[in-house]
Amino acid sequence: MSVSIKSLNRSFVKSNQTVQALQDVNLHINKGEFITIIGPSGCGKSTLLKIIAGLDLHFGGSVKIGNADLKGPGIKQGFIFQEHRLFPWMTVEKNIAADLSLRDPEIRRKVDELIEIVRLTGFEQSYPRELSGGMAQRVAIARALLRNPEVLLLDEPFGALDAFTRTHLQDVLLDIWKNKGTTMILVTHDVDESIYLGKRVVIMSPRPGRVSNIIPIDLPFPRKKVNRSFQELRQKVLEEFEKADEFILVEGSGI
Ligand code: ADP
Ligand code: MG
């Protein structure tokens, strides 16, 4: 499903001060596209994802999922947070099923299939405390996928993981994206990750939070991080990212 964002504004009032978290954000994400969003801390990335997820309806402007105006959280949008948010008292398979019953043969079949996809076979009965960070995040991915989301929103999902696990999970995501055609919107602060996954990299700048640039990544999948054109794009994204960061200094010095 496509996501269409027009003239999006969101501000917060905190102890009599107004923070413009998002200002005039315009972004059209095609059905089945993989978009990555990168930008310095505080530029409104999480706010943007929460709005697309339907978790925050106090915004100005318009957000459409497919052709429909956003009305609230729905089964169309799945959300994966930076920390896995699993239930500690539930096994892996129960965490994936959550409010759905494993006694339902269709759910059972899908949960088993997802456990295989995220490579957790043998850990169905384990508890979150017995899992590594990467494994727990794979459970969270399976839980989101069980609901067959048409749009998957990922807020710095691999930020806390080591480089090896991170690369593995990036490939898991690309597999799912290829096989299911899910529209993916992933927020990251890792430039390599943004280029490795995204068909377009959206760069945001803070205060007020807005889209400062969109860089298309015309590299075929699977991508190689050591490749020369990858490195050139890396340079380009870094330069734009730095511009977005400099903006804070310029603005900050004026106050
Ligand atoms: P990012 O995810 O890019 O780091 P956020 O979307 O979390 O940025 O925040 C953007 C800005 O909005 C920040 O200045 C933050 O302090 C502010 N903000 C976000 N959520 C709230 C909230 N619930 N109440 C007040 N201010 C908020
Ligand atoms: Mg955030």
Side-chain angles (χ1 to χ4, degrees), residues 12-14 19-21 39-48 50 155-156 207:
F12 295 101
V13 180
K14 217 169 161 183
V19 177
Q20 191 75 31
S41 175
C43 69
K45 304 181 296 294
S46 296
T47 304
L48 179 61
K50 276 182 211 151
D155 195 358
E156 304 197 28
R207 264 159 263 150

Side-chain angles (χ1 to χ4, degrees), residues 55-236:
L55 298 170
D56 173 5
L57 294 172
H58 304 281
F59 59 85
S62 118
V63 179
K64 286 188 178 190
I65 309 288
N67 291 323
D69 277 320
L70 187 71
K71 294 214 175 64
I75 49 163
K76 291 197 189 89
Q77 309 103 296
F79 205 116
I80 296 173
F81 298 90
Q82 177 161 14
E83 49 331 315
H84 54 70
R85 300 196 180 186
L86 300 180
F87 301 114
W89 61 89
M90 285 187 189
T91 61
V92 162
E93 60 177 31
K94 289 229 169 87
N95 262 293
I96 296 172
D99 57 319
L100 304 172
S101 171
L102 283 166
R103 285 196 213 97
D104 176 337
E106 185 57 19
I107 300 294
R108 178 77 257 175
R109 191 187 61 74
K110 282 192 183 161
V111 168
D112 289 342
E113 186 190 82
L114 282 167
I115 284 174
E116 222 177 291
I117 289 176
V118 299
R119 299 179 219 176
L120 281 171
T121 309
F123 294 93
E124 294 83 350
Q125 306 305 328
S126 302
Y127 287 87
R129 63 171 184 278
E130 300 167 318
L131 306 176
S132 68
M135 292 163 87
Q137 202 52 303
R138 279 181 276 161
V139 178
I141 293 173
R143 176 166 62 187
L145 290 175
L146 179 63
R147 276 93 192 144
N148 276 324
E150 301 197 44
V151 182
L152 194 54
L153 304 158
L154 303 109
D155 195 358
E156 304 197 28
F158 312 140
L161 306 175
D162 62 86
F164 182 77
T165 311
R166 177 183 272 254
T167 303
H168 166 66
L169 288 188
Q170 288 165 352
D171 290 333
V172 169
L173 265 194
L174 285 175
D175 270 353
I176 293 161
W177 176 61
K178 255 186 283 167
N179 296 328
K180 302 210 176 222
T182 315
T183 307
M184 300 276 195
I185 307 178
L186 179 138
V187 165
T188 179
H189 56 252
D190 177 345
V191 173
D192 279 2
E193 181 166 273
S194 74
I195 300 169
Y196 188 67
L197 297 174
K199 285 217 161 198
R200 286 187 293 159
V201 176
V202 175
I203 298 169
M204 292 182 67
S205 56
R207 264 159 263 150
R210 58 184 154 198
V211 172
S212 63
N213 210 330
I214 300 179
I215 298 180
I217 309 293
D218 292 321
L219 300 175
F221 291 98
R223 292 169 173 170
K224 293 258 174 296
K225 290 177 187 166
V226 288
N227 180 305
R228 177 145 163 230
S229 25
F230 192 104
Q231 291 303 321
E232 282 166 6
L233 281 161
R234 185 171 196 274
Q235 194 60 31
K236 194 168 169 184

